[in-house]
Amino acid sequence: MPARNSDFVYQDLRREIISMRLTPGTAILEKNLAQRYGVSRTPVREAIVRLAKDRLIDVVAKSGTFVAPIPLAMVREALVARRALEAATVREATEKASESQFMEIRAIIQRQRENAQAGDEAAFHRADDDFHAAIAAAGRLAGIWDMIQQIRIQIERYRRLTLPQPGRMLKVVGEHEAVLEAMVRRDADEAVAKMAYHLNNLQLDIAVFRDMWPDYFLLDPAVDSDLLAE
């Protein structure tokens, strides 16, 4: 039971941090969490240790425990890795997907459009995941989507900041449609290029969102010098 308690607390806090319901800098109080989850402090403490290893929580001696800022260096590295992995899934899906799989992907994009028009960010995010997962599945590389899930923790925190911006969700829908249309034409090079453009837009906007929420991000002067320039 204690192990299951620790896993539950870990997974629930992880979801709240990644979804930005708990924003960087938010204090994490063991006593309050123990009361919230109806457990002792031990499983809470174990969950915090795991989240600290994920770089989602900072434990600061004599100061307290807080939701960690988003490390921009890790966001950029994860984007590089994700571009490479999704290039592989898109290329394979373009060559191997059936017409019914293309129809399934088109239906997911339509669902995304409806979510965007309704302003339902949570449903939009789920549909976004479904879009990328469906491409990997169509390329018979579903395991690669599992790999992407593991490396994109910090990307997801950053993405949650971008979605509420006016027109952002519909812009993403348009980018997804461009990827699919190239796939339907069986133009693998174009599909890969459209997916790269879609993912690159996240990186191009980093400086903008860092300026909007400077306290939410951690910059490494060695690699983020362009964002430190006035």
Side-chain angles (χ1 to χ4, degrees), residues 147-164:
M147 294 169 61
I148 291 170
Q149 296 277 62
Q150 294 172 19
I151 66 172
R152 68 177 190 148
I153 293 175
Q154 301 297 348
I155 296 177
E156 286 308 293
R157 299 175 73 201
Y158 166 61
R159 279 189 68 245
R160 295 304 180 105
L161 289 176
T162 70
L163 288 182

Side-chain angles (χ1 to χ4, degrees), residues 24-86:
T26 300
I28 301 295
L29 303 175
E30 289 185 11
K31 179 181 178 181
N32 291 357
L33 289 175
Q35 292 175 344
R36 169 182 168 181
Y37 293 112
V39 299
S40 69
R41 289 199 186 189
T42 298
V44 171
R45 194 170 298 118
E46 291 171 350
I48 287 173
V49 169
R50 293 173 66 185
L51 290 165
K53 289 181 179 178
D54 291 341
R55 295 193 64 177
L56 293 175
I57 279 181
D58 284 336
V59 179
V60 184
K62 299 182 180 180
S63 294
T65 302
F66 307 90
V67 175
I70 302 168
L72 287 181
M74 290 185 69
V75 171
R76 286 172 157 172
E77 290 169 359
L79 282 169
V80 170
R82 182 172 181 181
R83 278 196 300 269
L85 292 172
E86 296 231 28

Side-chain angles (χ1 to χ4, degrees), residues 3-21:
R4 289 199 293 272
N5 286 341
S6 176
D7 286 341
F8 178 80
V9 174
Y10 168 76
Q11 293 293 345
D12 195 61
L13 284 177
R14 186 176 183 274
R15 278 192 296 270
E16 293 207 342
I17 294 170
I18 291 175
S19 69
M20 296 296 284
R21 286 194 292 271

Side-chain angles (χ1 to χ4, degrees), residues 181-229:
E181 293 312 313
M183 291 172 61
V184 170
R185 294 195 304 272
R186 303 293 181 178
D187 188 338
D189 289 342
E190 181 68 9
V192 168
K194 292 298 185 183
M195 180 63 82
Y197 174 80
H198 168 56
L199 296 175
N200 283 342
N201 279 337
L202 275 175
Q203 183 162 336
L204 291 173
D205 292 339
I206 285 177
V208 174
F209 291 102
R210 179 261 174 180
D211 288 343
M212 292 175 68
W213 291 286
D215 294 338
Y216 284 6
F217 295 97
L218 175 66
L219 281 82
D220 181 346
V223 295
D224 295 318
S225 57
D226 57 319
L227 296 180
L228 291 169

